[in-house]
Amino acid sequence: MTHCFLRFSVIILIITTVQLSQARSSTCCDDYCYSLDPDRTQSKHFATKTAYEVVRGSSTSQEHVVRHCRPSKFWMLVRHGTRLPGKSDIESMPPILNDLRDTILENYAHQISPKRGLMCAQDLDLFKQWQWDKNITVQYESFLTDQGWDDLKSLAMREKDRFSEVFDGSYAEQRYLFRHTKTQRTEASFKAFAEGLFGEESLDSISTEPGPNDDVLLKPYDFCPAYTANKEKIKDPDSELSKFVRSPLYTQTLADISTRLGFQDVLTTDQIDAMWNACRFEQAWNLRQPSPWCSVFTKTHVNVIEYKEDLNYYYQNSYGYAMGSNLSCHAMADMMKHMGREDGEQVVGYFTHESAIQIFLVALGATKDTEDLRADNYYSMRQRQFVSSDLAPFAANVAVVRYECDDPVEPTKLKFFLNEKTLKFGWCNRGLCNWSEVAYQYRRFLDGNCDEMYCG
């Protein structure tokens, strides 16, 4: 009798295990077809590889128009436009993606796929047509793409139209100051921006200010040991990022993605990252052509992975880094110097990278949440201000415009724009700030020694 009971228990255990396994493989997530979605709103949530065109301010916005005021100066910090992957991605992604594509198609051909959360036939057709562009080699790692050129050229044309009083006339060296970091993508971004302002025929006559080897104005984080040490600390097991990656929410997300693609085992981090990066790059390169790799992720998956990205940037370049508020000291001092005087260049344009944009926003005190991003507050932070997709997409920019106004008490005012949308602060009126308020708010950058402050 005892033996029969034990054998019956074992049979029950085996059946239960099989049922659980089948349950895991038969459902994963909501049904979703990327190819047939006319909106694809998740493309606005690809973190720092988000296409600029899907998150920038409207071309028809009138936020730049200030009654009884005229713009007189323009200062801008700009991230390079859409680029190719870096060296390590170009080397690692093609073999991983080729193998995944073949296996995904094989899984679906043999009906090893979930009953709910299936990929649609149109998305699978995208995989059948996909191959790695063999022109993307390490020789061109991180180079600006055609879309990246268009990002900056179009931005310049819109700003010239908005602030025609400032950009009036042809190029004159005494009126314009341009500088870029020592990379192909920022130099090409500068040239694209210049073409948008002055036309292709003028490019050879436009000069740039040579940057020093230790360019603490545009890349201060490269010359700050404390920043590098903090960046390594984010990888520690007890960091918020690491804790989120181990959380049930994130691990279940990876399991759901794997099941959706027909895999019985959860895909590795390298495999998930390869698909995520391929999706983001390809969608940024070709805005209207759906990438098969984006069809891998439902909108819910994208939101979760975006939060993982945000945790990294928050503790690397934003308010989660205790010493980050002064890291952009040189850029802040430069902006204050140019905006605080009537003479000098009317237009200043600096072409840099995503981290420079994020740390500058911290120096401004912009987009600050009342609560830190953490591993355990994903749901309560769904309406957060710190969203790297909005703050630092490709071609991200912070523009500061000086206005001369018919105000006998405060004739000089400043307005700040992030990606062509007004930045608002609690200490100034509806985004239009009196110069005296700006000078008081950021007095430490005017009065201090940035060489001592920025990494102190």
Side-chain angles (χ1 to χ4, degrees):
M1 185 72 176
T2 302
H3 293 298
C4 291
F5 177 78
L6 288 173
R7 187 171 61 182
F8 181 74
S9 299
V10 170
I11 292 172
I12 289 292
L13 179 61
I14 292 172
I15 292 173
T16 303
T17 302
V18 170
Q19 288 175 336
L20 286 172
S21 176
Q22 290 175 338
R24 181 191 174 281
S25 63
S26 65
T27 183
C28 69
C29 39
D30 294 333
D31 289 326
Y32 176 68
C33 187
Y34 190 71
S35 296
L36 299 182
D37 184 350
D39 300 320
R40 298 181 193 135
T41 54
Q42 67 269 45
S43 65
K44 298 181 180 181
H45 299 279
F46 289 162
T48 58
K49 293 181 179 64
T50 299
Y52 185 66
E53 281 298 300
V54 301
V55 294
R56 68 171 174 85
S58 169
S59 302
T60 59
S61 168
Q62 296 297 301
E63 293 181 16
H64 63 286
V65 178
V66 181
R67 293 183 61 191
H68 308 299
C69 298
R70 65 173 184 83
S72 61
K73 282 195 167 188
F74 183 93
W75 186 99
M76 178 178 265
L77 191 69
V78 197
R79 183 193 178 191
H80 59 79
T82 306
R83 64 168 175 84
L84 294 177
K87 182 176 183 292
S88 61
D89 280 339
I90 291 175
E91 292 175 336
S92 65
M93 286 170 61
I96 295 175
L97 295 174
N98 286 333
D99 182 64
L100 284 168
R101 175 203 57 204
D102 294 344
T103 310
I104 291 167
L105 291 173
E106 185 179 343
N107 288 345
Y108 270 75
H110 291 86
Q111 297 184 339
I112 308 174
S113 55
K115 294 178 181 177
R116 183 167 173 266
L118 273 170
M119 298 181 69
C120 64
Q122 292 84 350
D123 287 345
L124 289 172
D125 284 341
L126 292 178
F127 276 108
K128 294 174 184 177
Q129 300 165 22
W130 182 88
Q131 60 181 354
W132 180 264
D133 186 342
K134 294 182 179 179
N135 293 314
I136 301 176
T137 64
V138 293
Q139 179 183 356
Y140 303 108
E141 59 103 2
S142 298
F143 271 35
L144 196 74
T145 64
D146 289 345
Q147 180 60 50
W149 184 280
D150 290 343
D151 292 339
L152 273 297
K153 180 180 177 180
S154 299
L155 170 63
M157 294 172 68
R158 290 190 298 272
E159 297 293 47
K160 182 179 181 179
D161 183 59
R162 290 183 181 115
F163 304 106
S164 56
E165 299 95 328
V166 181
F167 292 98
D168 185 41
S170 58
Y171 172 76
E173 189 173 353
Q174 65 271 21
R175 293 182 58 227
Y176 290 86
L177 172 63
F178 296 118
R179 179 165 151 186
H180 56 78
T181 64
K182 296 179 179 180
T183 64
Q184 185 276 344
R185 59 191 179 277
T186 53
E187 181 178 3
S189 293
F190 149 68
K191 290 179 178 178
F193 192 86
E195 181 180 310
L197 293 181
F198 310 111
E200 184 179 4
E201 65 280 358
S202 301
L203 285 182
D204 292 338
S205 64
I206 300 171
S207 61
T208 58
E209 179 184 77
N213 290 329
D214 53 344
D215 195 347
V216 291
L217 174 66
L218 299 187
K219 297 185 74 178
Y221 41 85
D222 276 2
F223 310 99
C224 179
Y227 176 88
T228 303
N230 176 70
K231 194 173 179 179
E232 290 300 312
K233 187 178 178 182
I234 297 171
K235 302 174 185 176
D236 289 349
D238 61 345
S239 72
E240 294 300 322
L241 174 62
S242 296
K243 287 189 284 188
F244 185 73
V245 169
R246 297 194 304 268
S247 70
L249 172 63
Y250 190 74
T251 54
Q252 185 60 51
T253 297
L254 301 193
D256 285 350
I257 294 168
S258 305
T259 300
R260 176 173 163 79
L261 301 180
F263 292 94
Q264 298 301 304
D265 297 321
V266 178
L267 293 170
T268 67
T269 299
D270 287 346
Q271 290 172 315
I272 297 289
D273 287 348
M275 294 189 293
W276 172 243
N277 288 330
C279 160
R280 299 189 294 165
F281 274 121
E282 292 187 351
Q283 210 58 79
W285 299 336
N286 302 290
L287 299 175
R288 294 171 181 81
Q289 174 64 39
S291 166
W293 301 108
C294 291
S295 71
V296 165
F297 310 99
T298 67
K299 295 181 180 183
T300 300
H301 297 155
V302 169
N303 289 336
V304 172
I305 300 176
E306 179 192 39
Y307 192 72
K308 185 202 78 168
E309 299 264 354
D310 285 358
L311 280 169
N312 178 66
Y313 290 118
Y314 185 78
Y315 288 94
Q316 177 180 311
N317 296 327
S318 193
Y319 298 104
Y321 174 38
M323 296 172 59
S325 60
N326 289 332
L327 194 54
S328 195
C329 183
H330 292 88
M332 284 292 296
D334 184 272
M335 180 272 291
M336 296 291 288
K337 177 187 73 173
H338 283 285
M339 291 291 108
R341 68 188 192 193
E342 294 182 11
D343 62 345
E345 297 88 356
Q346 285 182 276
V347 175
V348 177
Y350 295 134
F351 299 83
T352 182
H353 306 269
E354 65 188 41
S355 294
I357 299 294
Q358 294 184 32
I359 63 174
F360 189 78
L361 290 171
V362 174
L364 286 176
T367 63
K368 186 174 184 179
D369 293 289
T370 57
E371 184 179 357
D372 284 327
L373 278 69
R374 301 190 310 272
D376 63 357
N377 64 354
Y378 166 78
Y379 291 104
S380 65
M381 297 299 284
R382 294 296 298 274
Q383 302 301 317
R384 64 190 181 278
Q385 293 191 63
F386 185 86
V387 180
S388 60
S389 307
D390 294 332
L391 307 184
F394 286 124
N397 56 87
V398 180
V400 187
V401 182
R402 171 174 165 147
Y403 290 84
E404 309 303 333
C405 304
D406 298 335
D407 183 340
V409 179
E410 291 276 5
T412 301
K413 302 182 189 297
L414 263 58
K415 196 163 189 180
F416 298 80
F417 298 87
L418 172 63
N419 302 328
E420 303 174 68
K421 302 173 186 176
T422 301
L423 263 178
K424 295 181 180 179
F425 304 92
W427 48 267
C428 79
N429 182 28
R430 298 179 182 178
L432 185 65
C433 312
N434 293 325
W435 169 251
S436 62
E437 295 174 311
V438 177
Y440 177 79
Q441 189 72 21
Y442 303 128
R443 61 193 181 278
R444 73 182 189 276
F445 301 115
L446 284 173
D447 301 337
N449 183 334
C450 283
D451 288 338
E452 296 177 355
M453 288 171 57
Y454 89 100
C455 192

